[in-house]
């Protein structure tokens, strides 16, 4: 799947490892949260970066104790209308101070791209044969937001307060 960062397709250096498959020692690898829980000790002393893939229903506090071990957190979107991943990403950033890459995987669409970034995502796996221009356009299509976010602490909803100051 193409990887989108900053509105364009980029090379993906990470390899997603299925449960039961060997984890490459010399390449950044993403394992499932379930595998991480079962084989945590096997990853001690690993030199290459490690990422974890969580299901949309996995809450941020479940992975928070181990965030310092992960260079990437991939959050699944089983359907584009399932918004739980947005909340998880925002909580990882705001509550737990996670600074690594947060990747949206699964069913995400260009219309969601700006909101993905506003809630803390840094990349998204796009569907095969995606139109890269649609992802780039999503960054400029809407320039004003009503809700506060990580990238805009002064949303439109607070405009009146800003003008009264």
């Amino acid at each position: 799947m193409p990887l989108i960062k900053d509105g364009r397709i980029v090379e993906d250096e990470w390899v997603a490892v299925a449960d039961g498959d060997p984890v490459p020692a010399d390449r950044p690898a993403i394992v499932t949260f379930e595998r991480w829980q079962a084989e945590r000790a096997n990853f001690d002393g690993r030199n290459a970066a490690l990422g974890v893939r969580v299901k949309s229903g996995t809450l941020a506090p479940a992975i928070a104790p181990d965030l310092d071990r992960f260079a990437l957190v991939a959050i699944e979107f089983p359907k584009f209308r399932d918004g739980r991943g947005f909340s998880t990403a925002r909580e990882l950033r705001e509550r737990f101070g996670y600074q690594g890459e947060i990747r949206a995987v699964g069913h995400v669409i260009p219309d969601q791209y700006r909101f993905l970034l506003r809630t803390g995502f840094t990349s998204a796996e796009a569907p095969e044969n995606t139109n890269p221009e649609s992802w780039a356009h999503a960054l400029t299509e809407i320039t004003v937001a009503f809700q506060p976010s990580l990238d805009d602490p002064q949303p439109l909803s607070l405009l009146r307060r800003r003008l009264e100051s």
Side-chain angles (χ1 to χ4, degrees):
M1 299 237 183
L3 182 64
I4 306 290
K5 277 189 180 182
D6 301 321
R8 58 187 171 76
I9 295 177
V10 297
E11 183 79 23
D12 188 1
E13 63 184 36
W14 291 84
V15 59
V17 181
D19 289 345
D21 287 354
V23 179
D26 58 346
R27 185 166 179 206
I30 303 169
V31 298
T32 64
F33 183 55
E34 294 76 18
R35 184 171 188 173
W36 166 255
Q37 290 177 307
E39 302 175 22
R40 174 181 314 210
N42 294 343
F43 299 106
D44 289 344
R46 179 179 167 79
N47 290 326
L50 185 65
V52 66
R53 181 176 176 139
V54 297
K55 295 188 182 329
S56 62
T58 304
L59 301 178
I63 63 170
D66 298 316
L67 282 176
D68 61 332
R69 303 279 304 271
F70 306 127
L72 176 145
V73 175
I75 301 173
E76 292 181 11
F77 283 79
K79 299 176 184 176
F80 78 90
R81 65 180 180 262
D82 185 337
R84 295 175 290 177
F86 296 107
S87 300
T88 300
R90 185 166 184 164
E91 191 171 14
L92 288 173
R93 295 280 190 223
E94 289 184 340
R95 182 174 174 196
F96 299 107
Y98 183 67
Q99 297 295 311
E101 180 176 349
I102 300 179
R103 178 179 295 186
V105 297
H107 196 227
V108 291
I109 57 175
D111 292 356
Q112 297 170 312
Y113 188 46
R114 185 76 182 124
F115 195 60
L116 286 167
L117 297 176
R118 288 176 51 80
T119 56
F121 285 90
T122 51
S123 62
E125 281 186 3
E128 290 297 334
N129 302 319
T130 195
N131 177 357
E133 289 88 32
S134 64
W135 293 87
H137 179 68
L139 293 176
T140 60
E141 187 174 22
I142 299 173
T143 59
V144 177
F146 189 76
Q147 316 91 331
S149 72
L150 296 172
D151 68 349
D152 183 13
Q154 298 292 322
L156 184 62
S157 62
L158 299 178
L159 178 61
R160 186 175 66 192
R161 289 186 203 161
R162 291 193 312 253
L163 294 175
E164 290 172 354
S165 313

